[in-house]
Amino acid sequence: MTKPPLTLHLAAPRGFCAGVDRAIKIVEMALEKWGPPVYVRHEIVHNKFVVDGLREKGAIFVEKLDECPADRPVIFSAHGVPKAVPQEAQRREMVYVDATCPLVSKVHLEAQRHHENGKQMVMIGHKGHPETVGTMGQLPEGEVLLVETAEDVAGLEVRDPEKLAYITQTTLSIDDTAEVVKALEARFPAIEGPHKEDICYATTNRQGAVKAVAPKVQALLVIGAPNSSNSKRLVEVGAAAGCEYSQLVQRAADIDWRAIEGCSAVGLTAGASAPDVLVEEVVQAFRDRFDLAVEPVVTATEKIEFRLPRIVREPA
Ligand code: SF4
C-alpha cells in the first residue's frame, strides 16, 4: 500500500534547554556519588519519561522535604524552591544539592535586590506553578504580589505605587507577558522592570521557532508534559500564530491520527523538558504512516551550557 505524502516541519531549537540538561546531570551524578537512593524534591523537570528513567536508577521523588530522611542527599528541582526549603535542610543537617536553573536563580536575586531597595514586587506568573512558588518564597509574605493576566492588574492593591518592580516566570508566553507589562506600566508608571527579560533564552527561542513553523502547517504537535509550562505555551503560541490544530502530546502513542488525516504539512516541536528520544519516536511514527519528508525550520542556534555545582563534581 502506498503511503500518503507528508512534510514534517521540525522546529529548531526544540527540546532540552541548558537548565534541564544540568538538572538531570545533577541527579545522575548524585546517584553515582552517593549511590541510591537519592531524594528529589518535586519532579526534577516536568517530564514523565525523564522522571521514570531516574526513578529506575534509584531516585525517589517527593513533594515535601519532610518526606526525605535526614541521612540521604536531597536535590531541589530545576524550578527553584522557596528560601525556607534550604533553610530547613540546613537545620536538619541534610546534604542537599540545588538544581535550580541559574536563570531562575537570577530572578530570585533580582527580587532580593528590589526588596533591599524598599520595593514591593509584582510577579507575572502562573499561580501554583513550582517556579512561581519558589520565586515568591524568596521574600517575606506580602512582598510579592502575583498577576496572571492583564485583567488581574486592575485588582492589585499595592503598598506604594512609587516603589514597585516586576519580575516574571521564565517560561511564559512572550506576547501575553508583553500585554501584562503594558497594563502594569499604564497603571503604575513608576514600576521598574528587569534590565533584560526574565523570560529565558530557551523559552524565547522555542516560541520563535513555533511562530516560523505555524504558517507552513495544518497541524502542530508539541511534545511535552501537561504540567510543563513552557510546553503548554508552545501550544498556545502555535494556535495564536494561526495553526488551527495545535496539540500537546507526551509521546507518539498520544497522537490522534484522525486529526492529522488529510494534512500535507505538520509541525513538530518539543518543550524544554522533553528529551530528543521522544522526538525521534514521533518522527518514526510519522514515517510508519506517511511517505515522509522532514524539513528543519531553524530560527536560532543555542550554545549555552551551565556549570554543575561543585558538590556533585567533588568525589564523595
Ligand atoms: Fe532554565 Fe529556561 Fe530551561 Fe527553565 S526553560 S530550566 S529557565 S533555561
Side-chain angles (χ1 to χ4, degrees):
M1 203 178 82
T2 52
K3 298 175 190 172
L6 187 133
T7 304
L8 194 61
H9 293 267
L10 204 50
R14 61 172 182 280
F16 274 10
C17 60
V20 161
D21 194 50
R22 174 178 179 268
I24 295 168
K25 277 192 190 132
I26 288 175
V27 179
E28 288 171 344
M29 288 172 81
L31 282 163
E32 249 171 60
K33 176 169 174 167
W34 290 293
V38 161
Y39 284 72
V40 185
R41 186 189 175 280
H42 194 70
E43 289 186 351
I44 186 75
V45 300
H46 284 157
N47 189 277
K48 186 176 167 347
F49 186 87
V50 172
V51 167
D52 286 349
L54 293 171
R55 199 177 273 129
E56 269 169 32
K57 293 181 186 168
I60 297 179
F61 291 88
V62 296
E63 280 309 308
K64 293 193 185 123
L65 195 63
D66 59 19
E67 295 170 64
C68 309
D71 61 351
R72 291 307 304 163
V74 59
I75 297 162
F76 305 145
S77 79
H79 314 95
V81 287
K83 246 188 184 157
V85 174
Q87 282 168 354
E88 175 61 7
Q90 276 164 24
R91 193 194 63 75
R92 290 177 63 198
E93 298 181 354
M94 297 171 82
V95 171
Y96 68 89
V97 191
D98 190 354
T100 303
C101 174
L103 299 182
V104 174
S105 300
K106 188 184 110 225
V107 182
H108 291 180
L109 291 174
E110 227 171 272
Q112 191 65 45
R113 180 177 58 84
H114 285 305
H115 179 61
E116 282 160 13
N117 290 336
K119 301 210 167 179
Q120 192 180 21
M121 305 298 309
V122 177
M123 176 162 192
I124 308 171
H126 295 290
K127 195 175 175 193
H129 187 280
E131 184 186 328
T132 306
V133 173
T135 301
M136 292 180 76
Q138 299 305 306
L139 300 184
E141 218 171 316
E143 288 302 310
V144 188
L145 307 169
L146 182 69
V147 289
E148 294 188 274
T149 62
E151 290 72 49
D152 290 348
V153 173
L156 276 176
E157 287 179 25
V158 305
R159 200 168 42 225
D160 179 352
E162 298 302 312
K163 289 189 176 157
L164 268 187
Y166 73 84
I167 47 175
T168 81
Q169 201 179 318
T170 55
T171 51
L172 300 178
S173 147
I174 293 170
D175 298 334
D176 293 352
T177 306
E179 289 295 307
V180 185
V181 170
K182 211 161 93 187
L184 281 171
E185 288 174 343
R187 184 161 172 218
F188 307 111
I191 196 164
E192 200 182 323
H195 291 304
K196 206 178 160 291
E197 273 295 347
D198 287 331
I199 296 176
C200 76
Y201 81 96
T203 300
T204 307
N205 289 347
R206 279 149 193 70
Q207 289 180 16
V210 161
K211 282 182 191 170
V213 165
K216 299 178 191 287
V217 298
Q218 295 102 35
L220 174 76
L221 298 180
V222 178
I223 303 173
N227 57 346
S228 160
S229 172
N230 81 87
S231 305
K232 287 194 287 188
R233 301 297 81 79
L234 291 177
V235 174
E236 293 165 5
V237 167
C243 189
E244 269 181 34
Y245 183 79
S246 184
Q247 186 65 38
L248 190 73
V249 292
Q250 299 211 58
R251 55 191 310 168
D254 297 339
I255 299 171
D256 179 0
W257 294 105
R258 284 165 310 174
I260 309 291
E261 229 171 63
C263 291
S264 58
V266 172
L268 181 64
T269 188
S273 42
D276 217 36
V277 57
L278 296 179
V279 176
E280 285 159 21
E281 182 188 276
V282 168
V283 172
Q284 188 54 48
F286 270 90
R287 219 180 277 292
D288 293 344
R289 289 164 177 81
F290 297 95
D291 177 14
L292 197 68
V294 177
E295 287 274 339
V297 180
V298 185
T299 52
T301 47
E302 294 178 346
K303 292 200 177 92
I304 293 183
E305 258 182 64
F306 294 130
R307 213 173 147 73
L308 290 154
R310 182 177 297 175
I311 187 168
V312 289
R313 286 189 277 124
E314 282 172 348

